Structures are given as structure tokens and as C-alpha cells.
Amino acid sequence: MNKSELLVNISEKSGLKKVEAERALNAFIETVTESLKKEEKVQLVGFGTFETRDRKAREGRNPRKPDEVIKIPASKAPVFKAGKTLKEAVNNK
């Protein structure tokens, strides 16, 4: 499912116009992004948790030149951990 298909589903299930659903989805994405930038968790009970994790600097290989070692800098990675209710819903099709 892509974003436009998601918007159609949200619109149908909520009774919102497609434009309103898009505004709501964009606001949600923007809010989660801003929270993660501040290293805050976003926890939606039953659905899951968005958070950031630190990735250490490490060495890697250049796939075009396997002999070449490159340094990969430390970074922060956004992570989503599914909640219990979501896991159960997915497993009980």
C-alpha cells in the first residue's frame, strides 16, 4: 500500500474528505519526525513505539571495489517496535 492508497482507506474509514485525511496524515508524520529529532519516544499503546537508536561508527566495504575499506560514521536510526495488540492482529489473520 502506498501513501495515496492509505489516504483513500483513511478517508473511507473516517468519513473525512481525502484532502482532510491527507492533512491529518501529514500532521502525524511531521509530529513523529519532530519528536524523533528531539530523541523523544512516540508511544501509541497497542499499536507500537517510534524511537531512535544510536548506530556506532564502523568499517564497511565498497561494493564496487571490494578491497576498499570505507568508514561509516555514527548515526541515529529511526526504529518502530510493534505493540502487543498489533502483533496479535497480524498473527491472527
Side-chain angles (χ1 to χ4, degrees):
M1 178 181 295
N2 60 32
K3 186 175 180 180
S4 58
E5 293 168 339
L6 178 61
L7 287 172
V8 169
N9 271 329
I10 291 172
S11 177
E12 289 172 356
K13 291 182 182 199
S14 68
L16 295 172
K17 294 179 183 175
K18 191 175 176 186
V19 174
E20 295 168 334
E22 183 173 17
R23 217 173 313 146
L25 179 60
N26 288 339
F28 171 76
I29 292 169
E30 186 178 321
T31 302
V32 171
T33 302
E34 289 171 357
S35 294
L36 294 178
K37 282 182 179 180
K38 297 176 193 172
E39 296 188 37
E40 298 173 344
K41 276 186 187 180
V42 177
Q43 189 170 12
L44 304 171
V45 177
F47 182 72
T49 304
F50 296 91
E51 61 186 330
T52 58
R53 293 208 181 123
D54 292 325
R55 298 184 73 188
K56 295 179 184 177
R58 61 194 193 281
E59 290 184 349
R61 299 271 178 193
N62 182 345
R64 293 188 181 157
K65 300 176 188 173
D67 296 336
E68 183 182 342
V69 176
I70 57 174
K71 293 186 188 264
I72 301 169
S75 64
K76 293 184 187 330
V79 177
F80 175 75
K81 182 179 176 187
K84 182 180 177 186
T85 307
L86 178 60
K87 286 180 190 176
E88 288 173 354
V90 170
N91 287 314
N92 296 326
K93 299 175 184 179

